[in-house]
Amino acid sequence: MSVALVGAGPGDPGLITVRGLELLRACDAVVHDRLVAPELVEEAPEGALRIARDGLSQEEINELLIALAEDGLEVVRLKGGDPYVFGRGGEEAIALAEAGIDFEVVPGVSALAAVPAAAGIPLTHRGVASQVRLLSGRLAAGDPDWESVRPDGATLVLFMALDELDRICGELLVRGFAPTTPAAVVSRGTLADQEVVVAELSVLSEAAAHLRSPALAIVGDVVAVRERILARPLVGVTAR
Amino acid sequence: MSVALVGAGPGDPGLITVRGLELLRACDAVVHDRLVAPELVEEAPEGALRIARDGLSQEEINELLIALAEDGLEVVRLKGGDPYVFGRGGEEAIALAEAGIDFEVVPGVSALAAVPAAAGIPLTHRGVASQVRLLSGRLAAGDPDWESVRPDGATLVLFMALDELDRICGELLVRGFAPTTPAAVVSRGTLADQEVVVAELSVLSEAAAHLRSPALAIVGDVVAVRERILARPLVGVTAR
């Protein structure tokens, strides 16, 4: 009986880790996020329990993981992206630790860099940006701490940014970000139906209004590096 | 002829992506960073060229990748962590685009979250930290922009922090970080000989003096979450 908190990666099923896939293929039960690729859920053995976490609260997920493990099952908790970057994996880890359940954390490729990469945008680039700030557009505990965000040259990466994009851009403009700051929204990054919108910050929300979740926003001069990287038609992950 | 910029992950060879390993097993040549696991370099086919990038400048690496691809080879550029997070992958991508070489970027698990995870530290945690700031202790272009760093509740993650740790901690204290701020240095994260030092910011540098590179430093209240996660002996990636 044990639980593995496994990061499934940003969307493309090929971006799960070798270790994560190995555990998935050997598990008795998989509890998966809605956004995890169906191809990955299919990788669990034929007789394995497959439970979508939709509609369960974090508290209920914690209880479910403990119950399955105490029932003697090898459990994989398959989470989008990385368990410990806006993934609430820490809460699951603490619950398991307190219940005396053995567990392991298998990091995943976070949307953080993979989704910008799939749109041709590096997070850091020599002479352009050497710092990155991550925040979430939607937090369990309410609003991000906007007070601490200011235009300081760091690339800004916003998770789950779509629903609140208009308000987020407003907050950034109020805090001194130039209306012309290069910005992008990547919808369904690394998937076949990925869409990218590039626009100046002041019109980003309008330009991205038609996009679908999940989406990640990138604000900063690295967005302009994209034009140089996309000078050549690309193949694979960055092709879309 | 094409080049794949592949993230090898943070150290543990099991943390490469399925897609990255697939490309590696089919390549004609691999150009790899020194810190990439030898087990991964071994995954290239028996007859493949294996070139360590040690001693080559970034400019020379760019030229090498172009030359190998123009020679008709399928090339994997195997980079530690993720190509686009302090990985200078953007520079390689631009060089390839300008030379008219097809390429693809395969994101990797960045040390960013994987190394703290391997030490039991989540980067974000409900009620503790909802923002993350990444910077590098050592930049190609010189010093990080310390002016923009201040104690604002974001978890601070410092790449390649070991050589300059004393000066880095000094900069943070000068900028208003409390001497008692929880902090950690993780040496050789995710590898079998991983070592973790946890200390208050004011004494971190002294406490970590014996550690070996590569190392990543984490500064912020999430470091204290570690005690709750480590309440139970762990297995796998987080065991060390």
Side-chain angles (χ1 to χ4, degrees):
Chain A
M1 47 166 263
S2 74
V3 176
L5 306 179
V6 175
D12 181 331
L15 295 178
I16 193 172
T17 62
V18 169
R19 174 72 179 146
L21 184 58
E22 183 182 288
L23 287 167
L24 186 57
R25 285 181 172 161
C27 76
D28 303 310
V30 52
V31 179
H32 62 90
D33 286 350
R34 186 172 55 86
L35 293 173
V36 163
E39 297 92 324
L40 288 179
V41 178
E42 282 310 306
E43 291 283 351
E46 197 169 297
L49 265 175
R50 289 174 174 77
I51 303 171
R53 64 139 288 180
D54 296 56
L56 298 181
S57 68
Q58 185 61 58
E59 184 70 23
E60 288 168 330
I61 295 167
N62 298 353
E63 284 172 22
L64 175 64
L65 296 177
I66 292 166
L68 292 171
E70 286 184 339
D71 207 37
L73 303 183
E74 298 297 329
V75 183
V76 165
R77 169 71 176 105
L78 193 60
K79 298 168 76 72
D82 180 271
Y84 277 2
V85 183
F86 299 118
R88 303 188 69 175
E91 294 171 55
E92 295 174 9
I94 288 173
L96 293 166
E98 288 178 353
I101 308 282
D102 279 331
F103 66 97
E104 113 176 65
V105 180
V106 181
V109 173
S110 172
L112 160 70
V115 166
I121 301 168
L123 291 189
T124 61
H125 194 76
R126 191 177 185 181
V128 178
S130 64
Q131 294 191 27
V132 182
R133 179 189 280 272
L134 321 182
L135 61 169
S136 174
R138 200 168 55 198
L139 292 174
D143 238 35
D145 175 18
W146 291 114
E147 287 306 319
S148 66
V149 179
R150 52 178 188 165
D152 56 14
T155 302
L156 209 60
V157 179
L158 294 132
F159 280 62
M160 295 174 283
L162 210 52
D163 291 348
E164 302 283 342
L165 192 58
D166 196 47
R167 207 158 60 82
I168 290 169
C169 293
E171 291 280 356
L172 296 178
L173 292 169
V174 164
R175 298 192 189 289
F177 281 76
T180 55
T181 307
V185 177
V186 185
S187 157
R188 303 183 57 77
T190 80
L191 294 171
D193 56 350
Q194 169 175 311
E195 283 185 86
V196 184
V197 162
V198 174
E200 294 184 350
L201 180 60
S202 60
V203 294
L204 183 67
S205 164
E206 201 179 333
H210 64 288
L211 295 180
R212 287 174 308 148
S213 285
L216 185 130
I218 306 121
V219 178
D221 290 335
V222 289
V223 173
V225 175
R226 178 172 193 257
E227 288 170 32
R228 298 174 61 196
I229 289 182
L230 292 185
R232 173 83 187 165
L234 308 179
V235 297
V237 173
T238 50
R240 299 142 194 164
Chain B
M1 49 168 260
S2 73
V3 177
L5 306 178
V6 175
D12 181 330
L15 294 179
I16 193 172
T17 62
V18 169
R19 173 73 180 148
L21 184 59
E22 183 183 287
L23 288 166
L24 185 57
R25 285 181 172 161
C27 76
D28 302 309
V30 53
V31 179
H32 61 90
D33 286 350
R34 185 172 56 85
L35 292 174
V36 164
E39 297 92 324
L40 288 180
V41 178
E42 282 310 306
E43 290 282 351
E46 196 169 297
L49 266 174
R50 289 175 173 76
I51 303 171
R53 64 139 288 177
D54 298 53
L56 298 181
S57 68
Q58 186 61 57
E59 186 69 24
E60 289 169 330
I61 295 168
N62 298 353
E63 283 171 24
L64 175 64
L65 296 177
I66 292 166
L68 293 170
E70 286 183 340
D71 209 35
L73 303 183
E74 299 297 329
V75 184
V76 164
R77 170 72 177 103
L78 194 60
K79 298 169 77 71
D82 180 89
Y84 278 2
V85 182
F86 299 116
R88 301 187 70 173
E91 293 170 56
E92 294 173 12
I94 288 173
L96 293 165
E98 288 178 354
I101 309 281
D102 280 330
F103 66 96
E104 110 176 71
V105 180
V106 181
V109 173
S110 171
L112 159 71
V115 167
I121 301 168
L123 291 189
T124 61
H125 194 76
R126 190 178 185 179
V128 178
S130 63
Q131 294 191 27
V132 182
R133 179 188 281 271
L134 320 182
L135 62 168
S136 174
R138 200 169 55 198
L139 292 175
D143 238 34
D145 175 18
W146 291 115
E147 287 306 318
S148 67
V149 180
R150 55 180 186 164
D152 57 15
T155 302
L156 210 60
V157 179
L158 293 133
F159 280 63
M160 295 175 284
L162 210 53
D163 292 349
E164 302 283 341
L165 192 59
D166 196 46
R167 207 159 58 82
I168 289 168
C169 294
E171 290 280 356
L172 296 179
L173 293 168
V174 165
R175 298 191 190 287
F177 283 75
T180 55
T181 307
V185 177
V186 185
S187 158
R188 303 182 58 75
T190 81
L191 294 171
D193 56 350
Q194 168 177 311
E195 283 185 87
V196 184
V197 162
V198 175
E200 293 183 353
L201 180 59
S202 60
V203 294
L204 183 67
S205 164
E206 201 180 334
H210 65 286
L211 295 181
R212 287 174 308 148
S213 285
L216 184 130
I218 306 121
V219 178
D221 290 334
V222 288
V223 173
V225 175
R226 178 172 194 257
E227 288 171 32
R228 298 175 61 197
I229 290 183
L230 291 185
R232 171 84 187 168
L234 307 182
V235 296
V237 174
T238 49
R240 299 143 194 165

